[in-house]
Amino acid sequence: LLVMFDLMAIAKVAEPLFVLRMPAALSKVRPWELTSDLYRQLGVRLFGKMLRNSPLRFLNKGVYLGAGAEDLDSLCRRVASAEATHFWAALLFMAYIGYLYLSGRPQFATGFLAVQVLFNLYPILHLRLMRARLESILRRRKVGSCRH
């Protein structure tokens, strides 16, 4: 768990110099993600609303527009970076969860799986929706995209 959080912290601190990226095959938001009912049924938008209206929003203030808001292209890049950070942290953590299951400690693995869903899966899904909305706005303005 600490290794996962450490990876996320290091990625955030290193962001001005180095940005993690999603694998190309996973970075594109698929049309079904925007049109299907799955994200609504999973409560991804409610999760986003909960983040915006709680102190949890301060875990990554860079993915919100503020009073001194920067341009949308920069915001989109920060959202894509946060999504990639959660993805790589989830991948690292999944390896450990798999190890726990295989070594006969399913109770710990199941607990860590719940942490994985709350700290990585839901943020990834929420950030994908945010990035898709931002990309749509940027396309209409013909300003740029979330590619970093």
Side-chain angles (χ1 to χ4, degrees), residues 79-96:
V79 167
S81 173
E83 178 187 347
T85 299
H86 279 284
F87 170 79
W88 291 109
L91 194 64
L92 176 70
F93 198 34
M94 229 25 238
Y96 184 66

Side-chain angles (χ1 to χ4, degrees), residues 41-58:
Q41 290 172 350
L42 290 173
V44 174
R45 284 189 167 86
L46 288 174
F47 176 80
K49 191 178 288 189
M50 185 265 311
L51 286 177
R52 279 188 302 280
N53 299 321
S54 76
L56 293 173
R57 91 180 269 140
F58 297 109

Side-chain angles (χ1 to χ4, degrees), residues 27-142:
S27 73
K28 186 177 188 305
V29 178
R30 309 300 191 275
W32 67 264
E33 291 181 82
L34 301 173
T35 58
S36 133
D37 238 9
L38 182 62
Y39 278 33
R40 186 189 59 75
Q41 290 172 350
L42 290 173
V44 174
R45 284 189 167 86
L46 288 174
F47 176 80
K49 191 178 288 189
M50 185 265 311
L51 286 177
R52 279 188 302 280
N53 299 321
S54 76
L56 293 173
R57 91 180 269 140
F58 297 109
L59 289 174
N60 195 354
K61 295 186 302 187
V63 298
Y64 297 97
L65 284 175
E70 295 179 40
D71 64 304
L72 291 180
D73 193 45
S74 176
L75 174 64
C76 202
R77 282 192 300 277
R78 288 192 308 272
V79 167
S81 173
E83 178 187 347
T85 299
H86 279 284
F87 170 79
W88 291 109
L91 194 64
L92 176 70
F93 198 34
M94 229 25 238
Y96 184 66
I97 292 170
Y99 166 76
L100 288 175
Y101 272 118
L102 293 174
S103 66
R105 294 180 262 175
Q107 65 279 17
F108 290 112
T110 303
F112 281 149
L113 202 51
V115 170
Q116 175 83 300
V117 167
L118 289 174
F119 281 88
N120 286 317
L121 182 62
Y122 269 85
I124 289 168
L125 297 175
H126 172 64
L127 289 163
R128 287 180 74 76
L129 286 178
M130 283 179 62
R131 187 166 51 84
R133 288 193 303 256
L134 286 166
E135 284 177 343
S136 173
I137 292 167
L138 290 170
R139 262 193 313 277
R140 279 184 276 161
R141 290 183 178 182
K142 296 184 187 339

